[in-house]
Amino acid sequence: MSTAAPRPTGQDQLWSVDEHLEDILATVRPLEPIELQLPDAQGCVLVEDVMVPVSLPPFDNSSMDGYAVRVADVAGASEEFPAALDVVGDVAAGQAADLLYVGPGQAARIMTGAPLPAGAEAVVPVEWTDGGLGEGPVSGMRARSLAPEQASGHVRVYRPAEARAHVRAKGSDVKAGDRALDAGTVLGPPQIALLAAIGRGTVRVRPRPRVVVMSTGSELVQPGEELGSGQIYDSNSFALTAAARDAGAIAYRVGAVADDAETLRSTIEDQLVRADLVVTTGGVSVGAYDVVKEALEHVGDEDEEGGGVEFRKLAMQPGKPQGFGSVGPDHTPLLALPGNPVSSYVSFELFVRPAIRTLMGLEDVHRPTTRAKLTADKALTSPKGRRQFLRATYGADGTVRPVGGAGSHLVAALAHADSLIVVPEDVESLEPGADVEVVLLG
Amino acid sequence: MSTAAPRPTGQDQLWSVDEHLEDILATVRPLEPIELQLPDAQGCVLVEDVMVPVSLPPFDNSSMDGYAVRVADVAGASEEFPAALDVVGDVAAGQAADLLYVGPGQAARIMTGAPLPAGAEAVVPVEWTDGGLGEGPVSGMRARSLAPEQASGHVRVYRPAEARAHVRAKGSDVKAGDRALDAGTVLGPPQIALLAAIGRGTVRVRPRPRVVVMSTGSELVQPGEELGSGQIYDSNSFALTAAARDAGAIAYRVGAVADDAETLRSTIEDQLVRADLVVTTGGVSVGAYDVVKEALEHVGDEDEEGGGVEFRKLAMQPGKPQGFGSVGPDHTPLLALPGNPVSSYVSFELFVRPAIRTLMGLEDVHRPTTRAKLTADKALTSPKGRRQFLRATYGADGTVRPVGGAGSHLVAALAHADSLIVVPEDVESLEPGADVEVVLLG
């Protein structure tokens, strides 16, 4: 007689991949939003509609280095008959717009981004002028620090300009009161550019989830140390921490925990303070030393906090044994993955990554999938009633080829794969050339 | 008369986008490799072929929770006629292989990952046995801590097992002496899994480049502060720092620097200690206050270190004025981008991102491009002789639609774009429906 199932669903009920995933996604809720400094909000999801407080640009300004002029003064100007204007001063970017006034017959030297001074109606680029040097068209201005006298004197303009030429109008980018970004926008560099441009130093977003990753198993030794008889290196905590980061989380790697229920329980308890999600590997199967199961499945006791973790068998290969539930006073979600490296990695991709992205409030929580033509030397077999995920390499030509075998301990093959071939539950054999579903691990 | 060109190429020579990029990529060299802890090496490029020091798995071990048996003892076993065996003890994962011996008529309870004990030839899963309880097939074992007595006594086995059944052979994943990963491999989670699994605590990789980003302009105010007359918010330093991170760099944002050559020079000098690459925005055009140009273009002076920065005009829109060169005693590469937000962002994508990825030693330094069908209400125009990059949204149906106009100050449109339409130098007009090249900003 096996251990009694703590839930009506029963320990022997076989869950489908979709049922398990659905249960996780129905349970895990996006994190509460917080106000973050703009650089810290990169990759996060905005939870507010951001309105524009002040028009962009905030004032009419020059799009060129040149001279601010009145249209009538340069009408008909040509190289043969240039318009000669008095230069009344410089307008640099950052200068107030009302420091200068351009009257009839006058011009102000103006820099890109500087406000159009009162009286001026257009900008003529410096290349259309003699730059005040009286020696024909120039290709630029001399640095003010080297030639301050060029901010005065005369300038010859060789071409006419229409009203508003080379002037960027106030509000031509966005207007005060416009909606800059919608709630739900993911903040990449261009969105951060816009938020900064409209003066937002902080924004309200869902933060990156903090994910604590721990592997369990008395056989585990940290890489770099000496391997004793019967021992292997801990790879899961390294791989899944990296994968959690890759998914957008702030990930904390806890070293391997030995197969002792009390130690595991207290380690998890210690970690809860920095966890929005806990991921364990190993100890979830039917063995006598499956400590994660032992430590977490006895729920409903009055002295236990959290909603409890349910251990299931999934109709899936690799990754049959899985645990999911919550722990601690804040009901922190916990996913207990199997311990074989390939099983834990595939389980991460299928269940933990979507959970992390749900915590972030992202809409798009799944890896992209595509269909491809199977390239293989012989037919692939798959156990009936299980959804199988085979490590594979996907070619740009729309083909996919399995790497290594189905064994869930084959880490080397995993490291050379970039995709997973999905073999549905009702398919027991796939011939070369078959059209298959592929998860792109990109 | 304009400022004398400091280089034979001449300030008025128009560089093509490809010539400028080629110059950058021919100059920037991958960073020197360093030995990093495995978690710190995520996303980095391996510079060594990594060999397998010890076979994986390091010993024959069980792939199931069950009983280690001799084949002859379970031959012909069935539910009607089970094989009854003496249980000589438990083999847990992490236990040494030589602690138990399975003799004729004997079995050892064994856990997934535990070493196959001497004498045993196969493993029967616990589900094929009565679990030592004498009451028919079971679905699992009871936790050892709850039922230590189950490690002894008798077990009934209901099915035969072939030699090596449910045994993972030593070296079946990788063998000692095999090459685990090739130099040049980018380390993602699965590669980190393999490196940890073979015991590598550190690896030799090219580190992430440290990129210092500074914007220049006396008109710039930090977001969150009060905007004065003629002032705008600094967005470039935020956007490009985020973009540098996105490209794989460790990015440091220096606030906006005022338009003063001495201040800029000393700020850059101060930052060099943490810079593998310096990116500036603004101050590169032909204006009288173009401080980046003024501060960095006078090279060849005996008291100046570094190879100097060359300022160029590119046959490109946006992004015509660009600077590239090196500064300081270590000849740290510096890219001086134009100050308009869209110009600086597009320039970053085209020139800085490939430079960062070259520093990382990546092969694939460019954004992916594709071709798409132009969707637009009217024909797009483009200046002759310039390669134009228009902000656009790319649809999964293979169409691309411009967002906003060509103005290089249109940040809002940039924030709603996911791609750039490339209009070649010799094309002045593109009709709706035209087949166009698209850079995916992903």
Side-chain angles (χ1 to χ4, degrees), chain A residues 230-365:
Chain A
Q231 297 183 318
I232 58 169
Y233 288 111
D234 171 24
S235 65
N236 288 345
S237 72
F238 289 88
L240 301 194
T241 304
R245 262 187 213 131
D246 205 59
I250 296 164
Y252 300 111
R253 189 181 70 83
V254 177
V257 181
D259 288 328
D260 173 75
E262 260 325 297
T263 308
L264 179 68
R265 249 195 291 250
S266 76
T267 304
I268 290 177
E269 204 169 287
D270 285 354
Q271 294 291 333
L272 283 179
V273 68
R274 61 168 181 176
D276 296 311
L277 176 71
V278 177
V279 179
T280 65
T281 65
V284 292
S285 194
V286 298
Y289 295 74
D290 278 330
V291 68
V292 174
K293 199 167 172 182
E294 183 185 348
L296 301 178
E297 91 175 334
H298 298 283
V299 290
D301 296 4
E302 274 162 39
D303 60 341
E304 294 270 348
E305 293 187 281
V309 177
E310 188 175 305
F311 290 85
R312 298 166 183 171
K313 286 178 183 162
L314 261 64
M316 168 177 171
Q317 187 187 60
K320 183 179 174 191
Q322 300 276 347
F324 170 63
S326 68
V327 286
D330 296 329
H331 298 266
T332 306
L334 181 144
L335 280 96
L337 311 184
N340 282 322
V342 176
S343 309
S344 75
Y345 180 73
V346 170
S347 303
F348 185 97
E349 287 291 341
L350 294 181
F351 307 121
V352 185
R353 189 181 161 93
I356 288 173
R357 296 175 70 82
T358 299
L359 287 167
M360 294 178 75
L362 292 165
E363 295 260 308
D364 181 20
V365 302

Side-chain angles (χ1 to χ4, degrees), chain B residues 165-183:
Chain B
H166 307 111
V167 174
R168 299 172 188 145
K170 173 179 175 176
S172 55
D173 188 353
V174 283
K175 289 193 175 53
D178 281 358
R179 189 185 300 179
L181 292 174
D182 295 336

Side-chain angles (χ1 to χ4, degrees), chain B residues 200-223:
Chain B
R200 288 295 294 255
T202 65
V203 277
R204 206 160 175 76
V205 296
R206 297 197 191 278
R208 295 177 176 281
R210 298 159 306 157
V211 176
V212 167
V213 178
M214 61 182 82
S215 47
T216 69
S218 298
E219 75 277 25
L220 300 179
V221 172
Q222 293 307 294

Side-chain angles (χ1 to χ4, degrees), chain B residues 16-326:
Chain B
S16 74
V17 171
D18 295 334
E19 283 165 351
H20 184 59
L21 181 61
E22 208 169 281
D23 184 33
I24 293 167
L25 296 186
T27 307
V28 172
R29 300 259 64 88
L31 294 177
E32 283 302 307
I34 56 174
E35 190 87 13
L36 285 184
Q37 293 287 324
L38 208 45
D40 297 332
Q42 186 174 358
C44 294
V45 174
L46 200 61
V47 295
E48 50 171 348
D49 289 338
V50 173
M51 310 309 282
V52 178
V54 55
S55 294
L56 212 62
F59 46 85
D60 291 350
N61 70 92
S62 178
S63 70
M64 301 292 279
D65 298 312
Y67 290 84
V69 299
R70 287 166 171 262
V71 170
D73 287 341
V74 294
S78 66
E79 288 216 24
E80 203 177 349
F81 303 106
L85 302 173
D86 288 337
V87 179
V88 295
D90 265 11
V91 202
Q95 218 163 285
D98 52 6
L99 289 185
L100 271 185
Y101 177 78
V102 174
Q106 295 182 333
R109 199 163 70 150
I110 191 167
M111 311 304 147
T112 306
L116 191 71
E121 297 159 333
V123 170
V124 286
V126 66
E127 293 89 346
W128 297 4
T129 76
D130 71 349
L133 301 171
E135 298 176 19
V138 293
S139 63
M141 299 173 185
R142 293 203 66 186
R144 179 172 179 271
S145 54
L146 303 177
E149 74 286 357
Q150 286 185 19
S152 60
H154 303 282
V155 66
R156 282 165 198 272
V157 177
Y158 300 115
R159 287 170 63 172
E162 286 176 16
R164 314 294 289 172
H166 307 111
V167 174
R168 299 172 188 145
K170 173 179 175 176
S172 55
D173 188 353
V174 283
K175 289 193 175 53
D178 281 358
R179 189 185 300 179
L181 292 174
D182 295 336
T185 301
V186 183
L187 301 181
Q191 292 75 36
I192 286 175
L194 178 57
L195 290 167
I198 63 170
R200 288 295 294 255
T202 65
V203 277
R204 206 160 175 76
V205 296
R206 297 197 191 278
R208 295 177 176 281
R210 298 159 306 157
V211 176
V212 167
V213 178
M214 61 182 82
S215 47
T216 69
S218 298
E219 75 277 25
L220 300 179
V221 172
Q222 293 307 294
E225 293 179 13
E226 194 72 28
L227 211 55
S229 171
Q231 297 183 319
I232 58 169
Y233 288 110
D234 172 23
S235 65
N236 288 344
S237 72
F238 289 89
L240 302 195
T241 303
R245 262 188 213 130
D246 204 59
I250 297 164
Y252 301 110
R253 189 181 70 85
V254 177
V257 181
D259 287 328
D260 174 74
E262 260 325 298
T263 308
L264 179 69
R265 248 196 294 250
S266 76
T267 304
I268 291 177
E269 204 170 287
D270 285 354
Q271 293 290 335
L272 283 179
V273 68
R274 61 168 180 175
D276 296 311
L277 177 70
V278 177
V279 179
T280 65
T281 65
V284 293
S285 194
V286 298
Y289 296 75
D290 278 332
V291 67
V292 174
K293 199 168 172 181
E294 183 185 347
L296 301 177
E297 92 177 332
H298 298 282
V299 293
D301 296 4
E302 273 162 38
D303 59 342
E304 295 269 349
E305 293 187 283
V309 176
E310 189 176 305
F311 290 85
R312 298 166 183 172
K313 286 178 182 161
L314 261 65
M316 167 176 174
Q317 186 186 63
K320 184 180 172 190
Q322 299 276 347
F324 170 62
S326 68

Side-chain angles (χ1 to χ4, degrees), chain A residues 153-246:
Chain A
H154 304 282
V155 66
R156 284 166 195 270
V157 177
Y158 301 115
R159 290 170 62 173
E162 288 176 15
R164 314 293 292 173
H166 307 111
V167 174
R168 297 174 188 145
K170 173 180 175 175
S172 56
D173 189 352
V174 282
K175 289 192 176 53
D178 282 358
R179 190 184 300 179
L181 292 174
D182 295 335
T185 301
V186 183
L187 302 181
Q191 292 75 36
I192 287 175
L194 177 56
L195 290 167
I198 63 170
R200 288 295 294 256
T202 64
V203 277
R204 203 158 178 78
V205 296
R206 297 197 191 278
R208 297 176 175 280
R210 298 158 305 156
V211 175
V212 167
V213 178
M214 61 183 81
S215 47
T216 69
S218 298
E219 75 277 27
L220 300 179
V221 173
Q222 294 307 293
E225 293 179 12
E226 194 73 29
L227 211 56
S229 172
Q231 297 183 318
I232 58 169
Y233 288 111
D234 171 24
S235 65
N236 288 345
S237 72
F238 289 88
L240 301 194
T241 304
R245 262 187 213 131
D246 205 59

Side-chain angles (χ1 to χ4, degrees), chain A residues 351-420:
Chain A
F351 307 121
V352 185
R353 189 181 161 93
I356 288 173
R357 296 175 70 82
T358 299
L359 287 167
M360 294 178 75
L362 292 165
E363 295 260 308
D364 181 20
V365 302
H366 295 294
R367 289 284 195 189
T369 60
T370 188
R371 298 203 69 90
K373 189 176 156 181
L374 177 65
T375 306
D377 303 326
K378 53 186 171 75
L380 303 183
T381 59
S382 180
K384 188 178 165 66
R386 302 265 203 105
R387 191 179 301 180
Q388 198 183 33
F389 295 89
L390 291 167
R391 278 66 66 202
T393 53
Y394 174 71
D397 58 348
T399 63
V400 67
R401 173 182 277 281
V403 208
S408 53
H409 66 299
L410 301 175
V411 190
L414 177 67
H416 292 93
D418 59 12
S419 54
L420 298 171

